[in-house]
């Protein structure tokens, strides 16, 4: 009985491993083609990361607490890009964890279908 249970467990593990490998290869082959277009949510995510970097640079810190008030993305098929507008406020955080004064920002970014930022404008 122990041998049957062990063989059954090994067989189940092999099935799980084969399923995982098949699932990974299917997901990698589908979404990474060079001609794929960026999604609106990915364009906003890229713009948000660039906004965090800009706010850190502006406040001379390595960390900020950020609250987005407006997140708008407009797709332009002719140009093959998204125009993303982000606005809100942030609090700079220094290396000791102390939180600074509230700062407002407005950011505009042009995100190409490749995911590259073609244009970025910051307004504090």
């Amino acid at each position: 009985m122990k041998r049957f249970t062990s063989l059954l467990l090994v067989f189940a593990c092999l099935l799980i491993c084969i399923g995982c490998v098949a699932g990974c290869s299917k997901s990698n082959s589908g979404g990474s083609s060079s001609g794929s277009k960026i999604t609106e949510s990915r364009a906003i995510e890229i713009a948000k990361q660039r906004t965090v970097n800009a706010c850190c640079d502006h406040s001379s810190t390595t960390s900020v607490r950020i609250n987005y008030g407006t997140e708008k993305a407009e797709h332009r098929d002719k140009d093959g890009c998204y125009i993303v507008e982000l606005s809100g406020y942030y609090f700079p955080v220094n290396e000791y964890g102390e939180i600074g004064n509230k700062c407002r920002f407005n950011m505009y970014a042009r995100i190409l279908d490749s995911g590259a930022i073609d244009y970025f404008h910051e307004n504090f």
Side-chain angles (χ1 to χ4, degrees), residues 8-9 14 31 35 38 44 59 67 88 93 96 103 107 110 112 116:
L8 188 61
L9 184 61
L14 283 173
I38 193 167
I44 290 174
S59 62
N67 293 321
V93 180
Y96 304 108
C103 302
M107 305 289 174
R110 185 172 184 250
L112 302 177

Side-chain angles (χ1 to χ4, degrees), residues 47-78:
K48 280 183 175 182
Q49 182 56 54
R50 181 62 179 93
T51 299
V52 169
N53 294 344
C55 291
C56 286
D57 290 346
H58 183 259
S59 62
S60 300
T61 62
T62 57
S63 177
V64 292
R65 292 197 179 163
I66 203 161
N67 293 321
Y68 297 98
T70 303
E71 300 173 13
K72 291 193 285 186
E74 175 188 337
H75 190 260
R76 297 196 174 165
D77 286 327
K78 183 177 79 173

Side-chain angles (χ1 to χ4, degrees), residues 1-108:
M1 184 67 172
K2 284 184 182 181
R3 186 176 180 143
F4 177 72
T5 306
S6 297
L7 286 173
L8 188 61
L9 184 61
V10 168
F11 183 70
C13 287
L14 283 173
L15 283 177
I16 291 171
C17 289
I18 291 170
C20 289
V21 169
C24 289
S25 65
K26 187 183 290 184
S27 68
N28 285 341
S29 65
S32 62
S33 66
S34 60
S36 66
K37 299 203 181 241
I38 193 167
T39 63
E40 179 179 341
S41 60
R42 179 70 180 131
I44 290 174
E45 181 182 321
I46 291 169
K48 280 183 175 182
Q49 182 56 54
R50 181 62 179 93
T51 299
V52 169
N53 294 344
C55 291
C56 286
D57 290 346
H58 183 259
S59 62
S60 300
T61 62
T62 57
S63 177
V64 292
R65 292 197 179 163
I66 203 161
N67 293 321
Y68 297 98
T70 303
E71 300 173 13
K72 291 193 285 186
E74 175 188 337
H75 190 260
R76 297 196 174 165
D77 286 327
K78 183 177 79 173
D79 298 336
C81 67
Y82 273 96
I83 305 298
V84 179
E85 178 186 350
L86 300 170
S87 65
Y89 59 92
Y90 72 95
F91 297 94
V93 180
N94 67 14
E95 67 263 12
Y96 304 108
E98 299 168 330
I99 299 173
N101 295 331
K102 180 178 177 178
C103 302
R104 293 207 166 275
F105 68 87
N106 287 324
M107 305 289 174
Y108 300 92

